[in-house]
Amino acid sequence: MIDVVVVDDQALLRGSFRVLVDSAPDLRVVGEAADGAEAVSVVRETSPHVVLMDVRMPGVDGIAATREISASCPARVLILTTFDLDEYVYAALRAGASGFLLKDTPPAELLAAIRVVADGDGLLSPSVTRRLIAEFARTPQRRAVRLTGVTEREQEVLALIARGLSNTEITQELHLSVGTVKTHIGRLLHKLQARDRAQLVIAAYESGLVTPG
């Protein structure tokens, strides 16, 4: 079973997400929270695999909560947002989120996303995430990431990840086996101290390996 905590300041939405998640045979909601501070507490008490995290909430917002959860818990955070909150997405990914979804995502896709994130992969939509990260990588607040110890081949893999390519697409692009690509990704995660694929995309932009545009 994949344990999920739902965080949203609107009770109706929390209830809807609970019903949806609990309808899947392999998923279950083990806790709810109405703000970021409560979310951190509930996550520590329940040790879920995935946290569905709203961004805008009273008191401690979703970004601050994501940062604290990512720093102290193994739970992976999936941000729920809307198009008018685009400016928060990059900050959320930097804070440690494993990906994001729009709140109007079809139910089946939301359930699939929870499984993807629980499995350790970052949830990145090439059509949306690349544009967002490219836009916000221009901000002066971004940190400087060094690719110390990252080989030329690993940099090639990292650049393709930042473009939103899947493992299969990377194998075709670089003429490598799936196993070799997975090995390179594992080494990148270790060398860059990244939690998942989403964090590798951030590192690719912040290191200057991939330029905005």
Side-chain angles (χ1 to χ4, degrees):
M1 292 290 289
I2 297 173
D3 293 340
V4 180
V5 165
V6 178
V7 184
D8 198 294
D9 62 335
Q10 297 184 44
L12 182 59
L13 280 178
R14 288 200 311 276
S16 298
F17 285 132
R18 173 183 278 277
V19 170
L20 174 61
V21 171
D22 284 341
S23 71
D26 58 333
L27 309 176
R28 64 182 176 187
V29 174
V30 294
E32 297 182 16
D35 58 50
E38 186 181 4
V40 173
S41 177
V42 171
V43 168
R44 287 174 176 168
E45 291 173 2
T46 60
S47 300
H49 300 97
V50 177
V51 181
L52 292 182
M53 180 75 74
D54 188 19
V55 175
R56 276 187 173 173
M57 294 180 291
V60 178
D61 65 16
I63 294 174
T66 295
R67 185 178 297 109
E68 188 166 349
I69 289 170
S70 298
S72 61
C73 308
R76 299 185 181 277
V77 178
L78 181 57
I79 295 291
L80 295 173
T81 185
T82 55
F83 274 123
D84 62 336
L85 294 180
D86 277 358
E87 68 268 24
Y88 294 100
V89 173
Y90 180 70
L93 291 174
R94 280 189 59 190
S98 293
F100 71 94
L101 283 178
L102 300 177
K103 285 190 174 181
D104 61 356
T105 296
E109 291 184 20
L110 174 59
L111 298 178
I114 293 173
R115 297 183 183 104
V116 167
V117 170
D119 198 38
D121 289 328
L123 187 72
L124 302 172
S125 168
S127 63
V128 178
T129 306
R130 284 205 312 270
R131 173 177 60 80
L132 290 172
I133 294 179
E135 178 179 352
F136 296 110
R138 296 189 180 97
T139 63
Q141 292 83 8
R142 69 181 185 276
R143 57 178 181 157
V145 173
R146 297 182 181 276
L147 300 181
T148 305
V150 178
T151 67
E152 183 176 346
R153 176 60 88 183
E154 288 166 354
Q155 289 186 37
E156 291 176 336
V157 172
L158 181 60
L160 295 177
I161 290 174
R163 284 171 45 193
L165 271 66
S166 66
N167 286 2
T168 300
E169 291 169 332
I170 293 174
T171 65
Q172 296 170 349
E173 184 79 14
L174 298 180
H175 306 289
L176 300 173
S177 69
V178 173
T180 299
V181 169
K182 288 183 176 180
T183 296
H184 285 314
I185 293 174
R187 289 173 178 167
L188 284 167
L189 290 169
H190 175 71
K191 292 178 179 180
L192 298 177
Q193 297 183 328
R195 288 169 60 91
D196 51 38
R197 207 178 188 92
Q199 302 307 303
L200 289 180
V201 174
I202 294 289
Y205 280 94
E206 294 188 330
S207 67
L209 177 65
V210 177
T211 57

